Short mmCIF file of all heavy atoms in Angstrom, two decimals:
data_model
loop_
_atom_site.label_atom_id
_atom_site.label_comp_id
_atom_site.label_asym_id
_atom_site.label_seq_id
_atom_site.Cartn_x
_atom_site.Cartn_y
_atom_site.Cartn_z
N LEU A 58 8.39 17.82 -34.85
CA LEU A 58 8.17 19.16 -34.82
C LEU A 58 8.36 19.87 -33.40
O LEU A 58 8.37 21.04 -33.39
CB LEU A 58 6.59 19.35 -35.19
CG LEU A 58 6.29 19.11 -36.74
CD1 LEU A 58 4.74 19.23 -36.91
CD2 LEU A 58 6.96 20.33 -37.59
N HIS A 59 8.50 18.93 -32.41
CA HIS A 59 8.59 19.51 -31.10
C HIS A 59 9.94 19.25 -30.54
O HIS A 59 10.33 19.30 -29.31
CB HIS A 59 7.59 18.77 -30.14
CG HIS A 59 6.24 19.17 -30.59
ND1 HIS A 59 5.51 20.35 -30.23
CD2 HIS A 59 5.27 18.51 -31.19
CE1 HIS A 59 4.25 20.38 -30.88
NE2 HIS A 59 4.03 19.26 -31.39
N CYS A 60 10.93 18.97 -31.44
CA CYS A 60 12.30 18.84 -31.03
C CYS A 60 12.86 20.11 -30.61
O CYS A 60 12.57 21.27 -31.17
CB CYS A 60 13.09 18.28 -32.16
SG CYS A 60 14.81 18.09 -31.85
N SER A 61 13.76 20.16 -29.59
CA SER A 61 14.39 21.35 -29.09
C SER A 61 15.32 21.98 -30.02
O SER A 61 15.70 23.18 -29.91
CB SER A 61 15.04 21.10 -27.66
OG SER A 61 15.90 20.13 -27.86
N ASN A 62 15.86 21.22 -30.92
CA ASN A 62 16.86 21.74 -31.91
C ASN A 62 16.11 22.26 -33.19
O ASN A 62 15.38 21.45 -33.90
CB ASN A 62 17.71 20.51 -32.32
CG ASN A 62 18.99 20.96 -33.22
OD1 ASN A 62 18.68 21.41 -34.38
ND2 ASN A 62 20.05 20.78 -32.84
N TYR A 63 16.14 23.51 -33.44
CA TYR A 63 15.33 24.19 -34.43
C TYR A 63 15.70 23.66 -35.87
O TYR A 63 14.93 23.60 -36.70
CB TYR A 63 15.51 25.63 -34.43
CG TYR A 63 16.77 26.24 -35.03
CD1 TYR A 63 16.61 26.72 -36.46
CD2 TYR A 63 17.97 26.36 -34.35
CE1 TYR A 63 17.70 27.30 -37.09
CE2 TYR A 63 19.05 26.95 -35.09
CZ TYR A 63 18.92 27.33 -36.36
OH TYR A 63 20.04 27.80 -37.03
N LYS A 64 17.08 23.16 -36.06
CA LYS A 64 17.28 22.63 -37.31
C LYS A 64 16.57 21.34 -37.69
O LYS A 64 16.28 21.08 -38.76
CB LYS A 64 18.89 22.36 -37.44
CG LYS A 64 19.70 23.65 -37.34
CD LYS A 64 21.18 23.37 -37.53
CE LYS A 64 22.05 24.55 -37.48
NZ LYS A 64 23.52 24.38 -37.55
N VAL A 65 16.34 20.61 -36.62
CA VAL A 65 15.52 19.29 -36.83
C VAL A 65 14.03 19.70 -37.22
O VAL A 65 13.41 19.18 -38.16
CB VAL A 65 15.55 18.43 -35.63
CG1 VAL A 65 14.48 17.35 -35.71
CG2 VAL A 65 16.75 17.90 -35.31
N VAL A 66 13.49 20.78 -36.55
CA VAL A 66 12.15 21.20 -36.87
C VAL A 66 12.22 21.83 -38.34
O VAL A 66 11.16 21.60 -39.10
CB VAL A 66 11.77 22.42 -35.86
CG1 VAL A 66 10.29 22.76 -36.22
CG2 VAL A 66 11.74 21.80 -34.43
N GLN A 67 13.14 22.49 -38.74
CA GLN A 67 13.19 23.26 -39.95
C GLN A 67 13.10 22.13 -41.06
O GLN A 67 12.46 22.23 -42.00
CB GLN A 67 14.50 24.05 -40.12
CG GLN A 67 14.62 24.86 -41.38
CD GLN A 67 15.83 25.60 -41.40
OE1 GLN A 67 16.43 26.06 -40.40
NE2 GLN A 67 16.23 26.02 -42.58
N VAL A 68 14.05 21.00 -41.00
CA VAL A 68 14.04 20.06 -41.93
C VAL A 68 12.77 19.23 -41.95
O VAL A 68 12.26 18.82 -42.95
CB VAL A 68 15.35 19.05 -41.84
CG1 VAL A 68 15.15 18.15 -40.61
CG2 VAL A 68 15.56 18.32 -43.08
N ASP A 69 12.19 19.09 -40.81
CA ASP A 69 10.91 18.41 -40.72
C ASP A 69 9.76 19.14 -41.40
O ASP A 69 8.94 18.50 -42.07
CB ASP A 69 10.50 18.24 -39.25
CG ASP A 69 9.46 17.18 -39.17
OD1 ASP A 69 9.42 16.17 -39.75
OD2 ASP A 69 8.52 17.44 -38.13
N LEU A 70 9.73 20.49 -41.25
CA LEU A 70 8.73 21.27 -42.06
C LEU A 70 9.02 21.07 -43.55
O LEU A 70 7.97 21.03 -44.32
CB LEU A 70 8.83 22.76 -41.54
CG LEU A 70 8.31 22.96 -40.14
CD1 LEU A 70 8.71 24.45 -39.70
CD2 LEU A 70 6.81 22.80 -40.10
N ASP A 71 10.22 21.08 -44.00
CA ASP A 71 10.52 20.87 -45.42
C ASP A 71 10.08 19.44 -45.82
O ASP A 71 9.52 19.31 -46.93
CB ASP A 71 11.98 21.07 -45.62
CG ASP A 71 12.49 22.64 -45.48
OD1 ASP A 71 11.66 23.43 -45.69
OD2 ASP A 71 13.62 22.78 -45.30
N ILE A 72 10.30 18.54 -45.06
CA ILE A 72 9.79 17.05 -45.30
C ILE A 72 8.34 17.08 -45.45
O ILE A 72 7.81 16.50 -46.38
CB ILE A 72 10.30 16.07 -44.25
CG1 ILE A 72 11.85 15.90 -44.27
CG2 ILE A 72 9.49 14.75 -44.42
CD1 ILE A 72 12.48 15.24 -43.14
N PHE A 73 7.64 17.70 -44.46
CA PHE A 73 6.15 17.69 -44.57
C PHE A 73 5.68 18.42 -45.89
O PHE A 73 4.68 17.92 -46.55
CB PHE A 73 5.59 18.40 -43.43
CG PHE A 73 5.24 17.46 -42.29
CD1 PHE A 73 5.74 17.47 -41.00
CD2 PHE A 73 4.09 16.41 -42.55
CE1 PHE A 73 5.41 16.65 -39.94
CE2 PHE A 73 3.81 15.58 -41.55
CZ PHE A 73 4.41 15.58 -40.25
N SER A 74 6.26 19.40 -46.33
CA SER A 74 5.92 20.12 -47.42
C SER A 74 6.07 19.24 -48.68
O SER A 74 5.22 19.20 -49.49
CB SER A 74 6.83 21.41 -47.57
OG SER A 74 6.44 22.20 -48.69
N ALA A 75 7.26 18.58 -48.75
CA ALA A 75 7.49 17.64 -49.85
C ALA A 75 6.58 16.43 -49.93
O ALA A 75 6.02 16.17 -50.86
CB ALA A 75 8.96 17.14 -49.81
N LEU A 76 6.31 15.95 -48.59
CA LEU A 76 5.37 14.83 -48.48
C LEU A 76 3.93 15.10 -49.04
O LEU A 76 3.29 14.45 -49.76
CB LEU A 76 5.39 14.29 -47.10
CG LEU A 76 4.50 13.16 -46.88
CD1 LEU A 76 4.83 11.80 -47.78
CD2 LEU A 76 4.48 12.71 -45.40
N ILE A 77 3.54 16.35 -48.44
CA ILE A 77 2.16 16.80 -48.76
C ILE A 77 2.00 17.03 -50.30
O ILE A 77 1.02 16.82 -50.94
CB ILE A 77 1.72 18.00 -48.10
CG1 ILE A 77 1.49 17.65 -46.50
CG2 ILE A 77 0.46 18.83 -48.46
CD1 ILE A 77 1.63 18.82 -45.48
N SER A 78 3.12 17.67 -50.96
CA SER A 78 2.96 17.98 -52.29
C SER A 78 2.94 16.67 -53.17
O SER A 78 2.40 16.68 -54.11
CB SER A 78 4.26 18.70 -52.66
OG SER A 78 4.31 20.10 -52.13
#
Side-chain angles (χ1 to χ4, degrees):
L58 287 176
H59 298 280
C60 179
S61 58
N62 186 298
Y63 84 94
K64 291 183 179 179
V65 172
V66 179
Q67 183 177 339
V68 74
D69 193 37
L70 290 166
D71 288 337
I72 289 168
F73 264 120
S74 183
L76 181 62
I77 290 165
S78 295

